[in-house]
Amino acid sequence: MRIVFEKRKSRARGILFAVPALSFMISMLLSGIVLLIAGANPFETFASMASGAFGSSNGFSETLVKTIPLALTGLAVALAFKLRFWNIGAEGQLVLGGIASSWVALFLGPSLPEPLVLPLCIAAGFAAGALWAGIPGLLKTRLSVDETLVTLMLNYVAILFAEYLYYGPWRDPKGYGFPGSAPFIEAAWLPRIFGRAHAGIWFIPVIALLFWVLLRRTRWGFELSIIGASPRAARYQGIAVQRNILLAVLLSGAIAGLAGACEVTGISHRLQQGLNLGYGFTAIIIAWMSQLNPLAIPFVALLMGGILVGGDQVQMMMGLPSAMGTVMQGLILFPMLAGSLFTEYRIRVLSGKAKKSKVACVEGEA
Amino acid sequence: MDMITSILAITIRAGTSLVFATIGEIFTERAGILNLGIEGIMLMSAVTGFAASFYTQNIFIAVLVAVAVGAAMAALHAFLTVTMRANQVVSGLSITLFGSGFASFLGQRLGPASNNFRLVGLKGARFMPASLEGISEVPILSAFLNQDLLTYLVYILIPLSWFFLYKTRPGLWLRSIGEDPQTADAMGIDVIKAKYFYTILGGVFIALGGAHLSLSYTPGWAENITGGRGWIVVALVIFSMWNPARSLWGALLFGGINAVQFRLQASGTNIPAAFLNMLPYLGTIAVLVLMTWWEALSKKVGAPAALSQAYMREDK
């Protein structure tokens, strides 16, 4: 008797949903064990996390506050991942978007006609994110420099640049030494819709739907899918691979930059510490758990936002480290990855002699 | 000590963790496995190593704990990528995401009740520089010979791993696995077992790098103590062309950037600290671009040909 793995021709729909769901449950189980070892009651902790994140209107609005950047960066990352461009720089693109948006609000805003201020702030964030992602994008497509490292290093650079600005030249002289810029004029504020949750939330369905339509219904999206599946095949089809990758990466950075613009215009109303809370990294988990499906990303982002708010909640209520939320999120990925064996391959137990030709040898995946 | 000697001494101290992790990652990548979990492994071994040193006040137990944790995390990466055939980039990223989250969780939980269960601000056993009588007076030389035990270990590790990789039979086997696993398999090498072994061995060295941070370089635990070193290492592996002997140059370069940062900050320059702190990250990008450009020019390929490809043995 032998066990063989056959590469699936197409991924089974049921499994596509079952693996993330099961992974979430396994991560709950593993987190439960971590909690037990840490000396806390897992059921009580999870219940407290859930009620903290979704149980009250205040908690739910905080969950939405986190969902907005998470969903946007999740969509941004997923778009790049579709092309196997490993953009782990959403964090930096978000920060740079926030910086550009703040620049418009602080320095152009007072002299602009009021209705123009907010749209320009948002546009600036969009453009700055694209610009920041364009660096690794160009390096990758022109010089084939590895994008994983460049996107990651630029995170640090963007975060340090923001620090320089709010500790240095942009620091509010009336801020009592508080590290942050002066507050924006009100024309640059995104309207609040529910608690602290702001109108930036509307970008999520719009971008998710556009992303879905792009991939499923347009020629360009079709080209992107081919590039993602096999760059070589795409080249033989006459698709401009490098140009398409660059365009998608610019768009990916722009969406992450938009998230940054929403953070400063919707939440803090100034450039200050706490713009980089690791959303760009959680975005990777979200994109992967959604299996890069843009329509699933908002819901997974909501779940992850809830876990983060719940993590803060158990810190206040039960004295557990707030990093509990991050641990839970990290634990989700491992069962997901192990499960990819079942989404990519069909497992067959053969008895006796089977034909050798039935067994597929795996081509490498970079 | 004169200025050059002191800069060199800091450079070597800062470079120690980088060399450990770079050599570890070279072994792993030579076996065809790309491990992007270095940052997470270093953080986890730094926090557990420090916790062990705080409770036992025994530096060797601390190193053992750190190494065991690093090996376990690398084993997880090997299991996911070799046995479960998960994408190596995503698996490595997961190890880093989980490792950084869990390390900060442990840092807020493993401490004593008197410190609110936190590890920050505590003192444990640590490695002290040790040198022979008289040597600490000699310029330049004293920079090399007034270091801690782990740094001395690095001095031995660099030539030893070079010798292993290029002059021994198992080293040849290892290189062949990264270049052409099918052929290696045909030669009778157990490719799967070797991939596990070298991924875990790599994890052990990466963990030593993490342990050096919390037990010697900046003794104690601080959130994000690695500051991206795990990622710089990924670039250093490329910089050293997957050759352990060359890992020295990259580590000296980045250790040197750290040392210069130190000196400039101490001397009170008007360059804002944030820009000085950007140097290692900008340097990494510059190194990557130059190496890629140079590789294209000289038509030399440094990377193992089968790096980050899943290997599946054909059914026999």
Side-chain angles (χ1 to χ4, degrees), chain A residues 2-6 34-35 38-40 81 84 86 88 139 143-146 148-150 152-154 156-158 160-161 163-164 281-282 284-285 288 315 318-324 326-327 330-331 333-335 337-342 345 350 356 359-366, chain B residues 36 39 76 79-80 83-95 97-106 108-109 117-118 182 223-224 227-229 231-232 234-235 238 272-275 277-282 284-285 288-289 292-293 307-316:
Chain A
R2 275 190 320 269
I3 297 170
V4 265
F5 299 94
E6 274 179 52
V34 171
L35 283 168
F81 280 15
R84 294 179 174 275
W86 304 111
I88 39 182
L139 286 176
L143 299 169
S144 54
V145 177
D146 182 58
T148 341
L149 284 165
V150 179
L152 197 108
M153 292 296 143
L154 287 177
Y156 293 102
V157 177
L160 285 166
F161 185 52
E163 258 174 37
Y164 160 72
F281 297 103
T282 311
I284 298 169
I285 305 180
W288 209 251
Q315 182 186 30
M318 311 171 76
L320 282 169
S322 57
M324 191 59 222
T326 333
V327 172
L331 283 171
L333 279 171
F334 298 122
L337 281 166
S340 63
L341 185 67
F342 303 103
Y345 298 89
L350 298 182
K356 217 175 173 183
V359 184
C361 185
V362 181
E363 286 284 320
E365 306 167 47
Chain B
L36 293 184
E39 180 84 355
L76 177 62
F79 172 72
L80 289 172
T83 306
M84 302 310 272
R85 289 178 201 122
N87 183 302
Q88 295 185 7
V89 174
V90 185
S91 172
L93 282 176
S94 314
I95 300 261
L97 287 171
F98 166 74
S100 17
F102 201 48
S104 86
F105 175 83
L106 292 177
Q108 294 170 25
R109 194 67 197 173
F117 300 105
R118 284 167 187 273
Q182 268 82 14
E223 198 95 354
N224 198 19
R229 278 186 182 77
W231 293 105
I232 290 174
V234 181
I238 301 172
F275 289 114
N277 292 336
M278 282 178 196
L279 283 177
Y281 311 117
L282 292 173
T284 308
I285 296 176
L288 263 176
V289 173
T292 316
W293 182 63
L307 181 62
S308 86
Q309 296 182 2
Y311 174 66
M312 193 174 188
R313 199 175 188 193
E314 249 186 341
D315 206 44
K316 284 205 279 198

Side-chain angles (χ1 to χ4, degrees), chain B residues 137-224:
Chain B
E137 306 304 316
V138 188
I140 308 292
L141 192 64
S142 66
F144 287 91
L145 292 177
N146 194 16
Q147 300 286 351
D148 62 62
L149 204 58
L150 286 178
T151 305
Y152 292 129
L153 188 58
V154 158
Y155 297 160
I156 306 169
L157 185 64
I158 294 173
L160 215 61
S161 42
W162 173 83
F163 184 83
F164 174 81
L165 200 58
Y166 290 104
K167 300 286 166 200
T168 70
R169 193 168 284 254
L172 176 69
W173 291 339
L174 168 57
R175 283 183 292 143
S176 73
I177 293 167
E179 296 296 339
D180 187 349
Q182 268 82 14
T183 309
D185 198 342
M187 278 160 64
I189 301 166
D190 190 337
V191 173
I192 303 292
K193 212 200 245 166
K195 277 177 184 276
Y196 263 93
F197 178 78
Y198 287 110
T199 307
I200 294 171
L201 184 72
V204 166
F205 289 140
I206 293 166
L208 283 173
H212 185 262
L213 289 176
S214 67
L215 298 177
S216 172
Y217 185 62
T218 45
W221 168 248
E223 198 95 354
N224 198 19

